[in-house]
Amino acid sequence: MEAVPSKSNRNSVFMTGLRAQARVLGALVMREMITRYGRENIGFLWLILEPMILTCGVMLLWTLMKHEAHGLTVIAFVLSGYMPLTLWRHISSHMVSCLRHNIPLMYHRQIRLADALIARALLEIGGTTFALLVVYSGAYLAGFIDPFEDIGLNLAGWLFMAWFSFAAGLILAALSEIFEVVEKLVPPFQYLMLPISGMFFMVSWLPHGVQKLALYVPTVHCFEMFRAGTFGNAIKAHYDVSYIFTCCLITTAVGLYLVEHVRKHIKFE
């Protein structure tokens, strides 16, 4: 009769597996950094500098154009929109073609297709988050924006955007291996998403009937949540945590299912 493992032994096995998984992801992130940015020049810093430069450029342009922000600080409105948008675009687009580029690593027993996608997403999340902190700190110290009103809501909106971007990236990565045309359609898809993503508007600015339609778009809830943390009571934010959580959960499940069933479509380079 087999002995039943004790609870302490099960916990020990779980922690050992968790540490092994963390080492795998850490190694994959480092490999991704070196492969994409190399060891010369500014390397990984470009991952941080690119969104910083673009965000500062949009801030300057909107300020010079005296863009209407419904009484809100233009710089803060751009920061609260463009940085989450950068997170969405970078994660969802860079996960496409990730699978075929990392298929040789699948000879290692500890590495799965999903690990390569998670590592690439973690790299994008880390770089864009650091860029957000630098741009926000610089704008705050220069007196261009007020401190965030609710850091918890900022963090929630940022993490939900990261999660949904990763989940959508899983689906796009898998579909791009099954249908080659998908890879070509991702950039147009992202641009077509811009008007309805929530970056350029608050839901409260829209007519009542349009508000209901806008709230069907998952990214709108992320932007609204992030801006609620940025502006506090100065705005009326519309978001539903249960809705965005459900969207992220379902999208992730679909994405992981597709990734696990796409290996036969991947060709070695």
Side-chain angles (χ1 to χ4, degrees), residues 46-85:
W46 184 247
L47 182 67
I48 302 168
L49 288 174
E50 182 185 3
M52 284 174 54
I53 293 170
L54 292 174
T55 303
C56 291
V58 174
M59 284 180 177
L60 179 61
L61 184 62
W62 278 36
T63 302
L64 292 176
M65 293 174 61
K66 297 182 179 179
H67 199 285
E68 176 60 38
H70 291 251
L72 302 176
T73 306
V74 171
I75 291 179
F77 185 75
V78 172
L79 176 67
S80 64
Y82 198 79
M83 290 306 299
L85 177 70

Side-chain angles (χ1 to χ4, degrees), residues 55-192:
T55 303
C56 291
V58 174
M59 284 180 177
L60 179 61
L61 184 62
W62 278 36
T63 302
L64 292 176
M65 293 174 61
K66 297 182 179 179
H67 199 285
E68 176 60 38
H70 291 251
L72 302 176
T73 306
V74 171
I75 291 179
F77 185 75
V78 172
L79 176 67
S80 64
Y82 198 79
M83 290 306 299
L85 177 70
T86 300
L87 189 66
W88 153 254
R89 292 181 62 187
H90 278 205
I91 296 174
S92 59
S93 63
H94 280 104
M95 288 174 67
V96 176
S97 78
C98 175
L99 295 178
R100 75 190 67 156
H101 292 162
N102 287 279
I103 191 64
L105 295 176
M106 299 307 115
Y107 287 118
H108 298 279
R109 185 167 55 87
Q110 297 92 340
I111 300 177
R112 301 166 302 165
L113 288 174
D115 293 330
L117 293 165
I118 293 171
R120 184 165 288 194
L122 288 175
L123 181 62
E124 297 299 336
I125 292 170
T128 311
T129 300
F130 196 84
L132 168 67
L133 294 175
V134 172
V135 174
Y136 166 73
S137 299
Y140 172 68
L141 292 174
F144 294 141
I145 61 174
D146 295 325
F148 287 156
E149 293 289 337
D150 190 331
I151 297 295
L153 279 175
N154 287 116
L155 183 61
W158 188 256
L159 291 178
F160 271 123
M161 181 66 84
W163 184 5
F164 183 73
S165 303
F166 168 71
L170 288 174
I171 295 175
L172 292 174
L175 291 179
S176 67
E177 299 300 335
I178 302 173
F179 309 103
E180 292 185 8
V181 70
V182 171
E183 186 173 355
K184 306 296 183 184
L185 294 176
V186 170
F189 166 72
Q190 291 184 328
Y191 280 111
L192 290 173

Side-chain angles (χ1 to χ4, degrees), residues 208-227:
H208 184 70
V210 181
Q211 289 182 12
K212 293 181 179 180
L213 293 175
L215 289 172
Y216 281 112
V217 182
T219 55
V220 169
H221 296 262
C222 302
F223 281 110
E224 291 282 310
M225 206 177 300
F226 193 86
R227 283 179 169 142

